[in-house]
Amino acid sequence: MRETQIALCHAMLDSLFEGRITLCDAGVGIGKTHAYLVACLLWQIYRLAQLPRTVVISTSSVALQSAILKEYLPLLSHVLMQAGILDAPVRAIVRKGKERFVCEQRLAERFAQVLSKAHGSGRQEAALRALEKTCDLDEALGLSSFDRRHVCVPPFCQRDCSARNFCRYQKYLRDAQGADIMIQICNHNYLLADAAHRQQELRPLLKNYHVLVVDEAHKLPEAARQMYSRSVSQEDLRAFCRLLQRAHLSREAGRLAEVQAALSAVLVRDDRLEEEARAAFVLTPPRTRALEAAITCLRQLAARLAICFPGWEVKQLKDMADTLELFRNNDSRWVLYVQYDRQGAPTLCAVSREIPAQMERALWETGRPAILTSGTLVSGSSFARIRQMLGLERNIRTSFFEAQSPFNYKQNCLLYIPKDMPSPGNRRNVEALAQRIEELVKAAHGHALVLFTSYRLMGEVHALLRGRLPFPLLEAWRNGQQIIRLFKNLPNAVLFAAGPCWEGIDFPGDMVSLLVIARLPFPVPDPLSEAEKMYYPSLHDYIQAVVLPDMQRKLRQGFGRAIRTETDTCVVAILDQRAQEGQRYHTAVLEALPECRITSSMEHIAQFIRERKAPEYFC
């Protein structure tokens, strides 16, 4: 029995019946998914008869979508049917883009190509044959990204397609509109795309609905940034060159390749930028000339191909030309920057300066009740920052509910903040970090997760500690799921991680008994943050309104890796001088975290571990 979970469910149910938009900050262990599902099911039973019955649940992760469909809803259906509240199991469906489904015609063509090869791969044949049992590409194990691109449903389906009558994707679309579908589950991008369709009076992607639930709501602003942005990459241009070559339009392909190379040449990355960095776009005469040539080439190609190419491919050419014009005109309505990948290849990116207002028009002005929930909506003790990011600052229907975690952090968590760490800018900082991490890991007997704010710092500390620890030392770089699985299977390993490992990964039990945060996760300055800074009267105001709340939210996400169940015990170490008592951000750090005992003594850590861990922990 969790009283806070019941209170959370009541707050959500009240919100639905009163037509409000409620931001629900739910601490780790509350069980917010069950809370909002029960609220939605009860609302469906007792709603006004004229209202649409369907509920949309938007999340950011495929794993949560699958869990809702295959675990949460079957369990709740069983419980509520036993209690006589439901008459039949809840029917739900996951909605996602057509590129996630197989096209029958393209699958047949690709399969024929693979079989015709003299030295075909048996594994490739098996992966393609598995698609005969599922049309969902996310369920196709072993399918290469190349094959995936060649068998997925194209951007536009031809109405006279010979496979249309038995197409499984078309059947999926018909099933999704069925009267028995009570819950539609999608990701944030799909939700925003549906809203855009409705604004433009196009056919909606989602079945008509009245209630919206946004889980992992702290990620909705990032999805909106992707939705309300435009980009042109070198790969986009090269892909069209290949398309023209296959269509035997060699002259046109050669011309496009020339302008692509010229554009790439004037966008060479500054050597001072780190990997995958963003640089503000600066318009120069050479860039103006390269952009004009590319725009002219793309528009001429669009006119030339309009009579023989599919409409969506012609539109893609026009969209790229329109995007490049934003850069040629230095359009002030957009934040313009160049994104560089690890190989230095540039992508021109334009992000709207009005994202909160666009979200307000797309989602909140509809009048639908909505529940937005996450474990990190509050920054410090305020919803102000997330409310501003979501476009809810002026919305009078907005209300708030904060549900504290039921976990006993005072008893089960020890917060270590040393008093003698050098500042992050000190040249001795990396060596001091390595030494202190070594001491902490030995005191905790491994079982450690060390979170870094940059891969560069992670690599430098790892190089210093290689061979110095009596436990397996692992590094999780980008897409490091295999390393994370290995860490979970080793009894007392140490995992260095950055990026996505700050949230969304579960390490229950003794797996992570020491969590080290190497530096406070302040957002890295980039052209987007520089643009936002202009809206504040002073740097101090900007730091207080944006930088500190964003750091606190990220810190809470990292801290959440420590305690995952009622019985977990963990030491959390913050090795940033700015978090020390008396330093600038000490109070902000404590405001972001649950109330814990605090120490600066290494002996207290060893004692905490000895007292709370079973004998087998030390084996």
Side-chain angles (χ1 to χ4, degrees):
M1 174 72 77
R2 291 176 179 169
E3 295 292 344
T4 310
Q5 184 188 42
I6 295 172
L8 174 63
C9 184
H10 276 285
M12 291 172 167
L13 192 57
D14 290 343
S15 176
L16 299 184
F17 278 106
E18 294 168 11
R20 289 187 276 112
I21 300 168
T22 302
L23 301 177
C24 299
D25 186 279
V28 179
I30 289 288
K32 60 182 172 56
T33 308
H34 277 132
Y36 68 66
L37 286 175
V38 169
C40 288
L41 294 176
L42 292 176
W43 176 84
Q44 288 175 324
I45 295 171
Y46 299 107
R47 79 195 191 289
L48 295 175
Q50 66 267 29
L51 294 176
R53 190 182 187 190
T54 311
V55 169
V56 166
I57 298 174
S58 178
T59 79
S60 71
S61 69
V62 173
L64 180 54
Q65 292 171 25
S66 178
I68 291 172
L69 185 67
K70 298 177 181 178
E71 299 173 25
Y72 287 96
L73 286 176
L75 173 63
L76 283 176
S77 294
H78 175 71
V79 170
L80 296 179
M81 286 171 66
Q82 278 193 327
I85 297 173
L86 290 180
D87 297 325
V90 178
R91 283 294 311 280
I93 192 168
V94 174
R95 301 301 313 273
K96 45 191 175 182
K98 58 178 64 176
E99 72 281 357
R100 311 290 280 275
F101 295 92
V102 69
C103 168
E104 307 289 2
Q105 190 166 351
R106 298 178 82 191
L107 175 62
E109 292 170 357
R110 182 63 186 150
F111 200 69
Q113 290 172 357
V114 171
L115 291 177
S116 67
K117 294 179 181 178
H119 303 287
S121 166
R123 181 179 299 178
Q124 186 181 27
E125 288 181 27
L128 290 170
R129 196 175 295 280
L131 292 174
E132 296 173 355
K133 298 180 180 178
T134 177
C135 68
D136 188 339
L137 293 177
D138 292 332
E139 297 177 4
L141 301 178
L143 189 69
S144 70
S145 57
F146 180 85
D147 281 340
R148 185 183 180 110
R149 287 196 304 272
H150 282 75
V151 303
C152 70
V153 176
F156 290 93
C157 293
Q158 297 178 356
R159 291 193 176 275
D160 59 350
C161 175
S162 60
R164 195 172 185 88
N165 291 334
F166 60 88
C167 173
R168 287 173 290 168
Y169 173 65
Q170 291 296 330
K171 181 180 183 302
Y172 158 81
L173 292 181
R174 291 192 295 271
D175 290 345
Q177 296 297 322
D180 59 338
I181 297 296
M182 298 170 64
I183 294 178
Q184 300 176 94
I185 307 165
C186 65
N187 65 20
H188 299 338
N189 295 80
Y190 199 89
L191 172 70
L192 291 167
D194 172 76
H197 275 234
R198 294 172 189 268
Q199 287 178 297
Q200 298 167 33
E201 297 185 351
L202 301 174
R203 180 192 293 179
L205 301 178
L206 292 164
K207 178 184 171 184
N208 195 27
Y209 66 97
H210 184 68
V211 164
L212 172 63
V213 176
V214 183
D215 199 346
E216 302 171 308
H218 65 282
K219 292 189 175 182
L220 184 58
E222 178 59 32
R225 180 181 291 180
Q226 296 172 11
M227 180 61 60
Y228 303 125
S229 66
R230 299 179 177 183
S231 66
V232 176
S233 71
Q234 299 304 300
E235 180 54 33
D236 292 335
L237 296 171
R238 283 194 289 264
F240 233 99
C241 288
R242 293 192 293 268
L243 183 66
L244 293 170
Q245 288 283 7
R246 289 196 297 271
H248 306 293
L249 298 171
S250 300
R251 186 175 64 179
E252 288 81 355
R255 174 63 182 140
L256 184 57
E258 287 176 9
V259 300
Q260 179 267 321
L263 189 58
S264 181
V266 296
L267 295 172
V268 175
R269 179 170 63 183
D270 189 325
D271 291 337
R272 292 171 295 180
L273 290 176
E274 293 189 15
E275 289 185 355
E276 297 190 72
R278 294 168 176 169
F281 177 79
V282 178
L283 189 64
T284 63
R287 288 182 173 182
T288 300
R289 289 191 293 272
L291 285 165
E292 287 176 347
I295 292 166
T296 301
C297 178
L298 290 168
R299 296 217 183 280
Q300 289 175 348
L301 272 176
R304 161 85 170 78
L305 302 177
I307 58 174
C308 57
F309 267 50
W312 68 269
E313 291 178 345
V314 175
K315 184 179 184 302
Q316 188 178 2
L317 285 168
K318 292 178 180 178
D319 288 346
M320 286 194 287
D322 291 344
T323 301
L324 293 182
E325 279 198 349
L326 299 177
F327 290 84
R328 184 192 62 182
N329 299 334
N330 224 359
D331 197 315
S332 61
R333 296 171 301 169
W334 300 77
V335 180
L336 306 175
Y337 65 94
V338 188
Q339 175 84 49
Y340 296 95
D341 65 17
R342 281 175 282 175
Q343 286 73 44
T347 297
L348 288 168
C349 303
V351 179
S352 170
R353 292 180 182 270
E354 301 179 347
I355 291 176
Q358 288 171 299
M359 292 181 68
E360 181 181 19
R361 291 191 294 270
L363 296 176
W364 318 129
E365 288 184 355
T366 62
R368 294 188 187 96
I371 296 166
L372 292 89
T373 185
S374 167
T376 53
L377 294 183
V378 168
S379 298
S381 56
S382 171
F383 286 89
R385 171 60 174 160
I386 193 66
R387 189 178 183 185
Q388 178 265 324
M389 294 171 71
L390 291 168
L392 286 168
E393 279 186 304
R394 298 176 300 174
N395 196 299
I396 60 174
R397 293 194 295 133
T398 307
S399 61
F400 311 95
F401 188 88
E402 188 173 358
Q404 299 290 342
S405 171
F407 297 161
N408 188 345
Y409 288 97
K410 276 189 176 182
Q411 177 68 27
N412 294 333
C413 186
L414 179 65
L415 180 60
Y416 170 76
I417 304 178
K419 297 180 178 180
D420 56 349
M421 293 297 294
S423 68
N426 190 309
R427 59 186 179 86
R428 290 187 52 254
N429 180 263
V430 176
E431 294 178 3
L433 269 177
Q435 181 179 343
R436 192 57 52 92
I437 290 170
E438 180 181 7
E439 294 169 358
L440 286 164
V441 168
K442 290 179 177 177
H445 292 263
H447 306 82
L449 170 64
V450 185
L451 292 175
F452 293 88
T453 53
S454 78
Y455 287 104
R456 174 180 289 183
L457 179 62
M458 183 177 84
E460 290 173 351
V461 175
H462 183 272
L464 290 174
L465 285 178
R466 190 182 295 117
R468 285 168 50 178
L469 297 176
F471 311 106
L473 178 57
L474 308 174
E475 279 184 297
W477 291 83
R478 297 168 183 85
N479 302 318
Q481 293 303 316
Q482 186 174 351
I483 295 297
I484 292 171
R485 286 194 293 270
L486 177 60
F487 170 72
K488 289 183 174 183
N489 290 324
L490 292 172
N492 56 359
V494 178
L495 176 65
F496 280 16
C501 287
W502 279 78
E503 60 176 307
I505 298 178
D506 208 16
F507 298 106
D510 289 335
M511 201 177 298
V512 172
S513 295
L514 168 65
L515 173 68
V516 180
I517 295 173
R519 286 186 183 166
L520 294 177
F522 284 101
V524 178
D526 64 9
L528 296 171
S529 60
E530 289 298 313
E532 190 171 13
K533 190 187 301 183
M534 296 169 54
Y535 293 102
Y536 294 87
S538 69
L539 178 61
H540 175 77
D541 291 328
Y542 170 69
I543 289 173
Q544 293 299 314
V546 176
V547 176
L548 266 183
D550 286 356
M551 181 277 289
Q552 290 176 314
R553 185 172 63 255
K554 187 77 172 180
L555 182 62
R556 284 185 69 190
Q557 289 165 357
F559 183 90
R561 303 313 99 210
I563 304 286
R564 304 300 299 175
T565 72
E566 286 89 343
T567 58
D568 287 357
T569 56
C570 188
V571 173
V572 178
I574 301 177
L575 304 184
D576 192 318
Q577 184 215 40
R578 297 168 292 183
Q580 293 173 195
E581 188 174 1
Q583 294 295 322
R584 185 175 182 181
Y585 298 116
H586 179 72
T587 301
V589 166
L590 297 187
E591 282 180 351
L593 304 179
E595 189 175 351
C596 309
R597 288 180 299 147
I598 305 174
T599 185
S600 59
S601 166
M602 194 66 65
E603 177 52 38
H604 288 167
I605 293 174
Q607 180 182 352
F608 179 90
I609 294 294
R610 286 195 302 268
E611 291 176 351
R612 283 163 178 77
K613 300 299 180 182
E616 56 268 20
Y617 173 91
F618 301 94
C619 298

